[in-house]
Amino acid sequence: MDKWNIIFNAGATYTQNITVEGIADIATATLWRVTCSFPSEPPFVIATTANGMIIAGATPNAKTMVVSAADTALFPIGNARFDFDIEWEGGDVVRRYYANGSVQINPSVGA
């Protein structure tokens, strides 16, 4: 994957297209997951295909991550990190395709 940074604006809907290339068995993947967290803290969001924050795209190798404005309004402000994983076979096979990516959460004006 190319370099990927996530920038959330508190109180605004976040939308990101995610496309992976060169994964022969991608059509059999059972879960896509983006986990965002501050260092040494529990995640403040885990977006997955199971919870509806990652939705199907036009092809098996494409999805769209959508995080609602109501959710981003609750995120702590600052700089965090994220991992992007895809699972197969009910979690028996997990492949991390992006590790320790940059996440920024910007406040609303006047906040």
Side-chain angles (χ1 to χ4, degrees):
M1 290 187 81
D2 293 331
K3 186 172 180 174
W4 177 16
N5 296 310
I6 295 175
I7 300 173
F8 293 114
N9 292 307
T13 300
Y14 175 83
T15 303
Q16 173 71 50
N17 293 321
I18 305 169
T19 303
V20 294
E21 300 291 339
I23 304 170
D25 59 348
I26 193 64
T28 62
T30 56
L31 184 80
W32 290 38
R33 176 179 50 242
V34 175
T35 304
C36 300
S37 176
F38 286 90
S40 303
E41 301 223 358
F44 59 87
V45 68
I46 301 173
T48 70
T49 49
N51 69 15
M53 289 183 166
I54 299 178
I55 57 176
T59 62
N61 68 321
K63 305 274 188 243
T64 301
M65 180 173 150
V66 180
V67 182
S68 74
D71 286 332
T72 65
L74 301 175
F75 290 173
I77 304 303
N79 297 311
R81 309 305 287 174
F82 79 93
D83 290 332
F84 168 55
D85 305 307
I86 299 177
E87 291 185 9
W88 283 261
E89 304 167 22
D92 292 337
V93 176
V94 179
R95 298 180 199 152
R96 179 155 295 152
Y97 288 100
Y98 206 95
N100 207 28
S102 178
V103 176
Q104 180 179 327
I105 304 102
N106 298 324
S108 299
V109 172

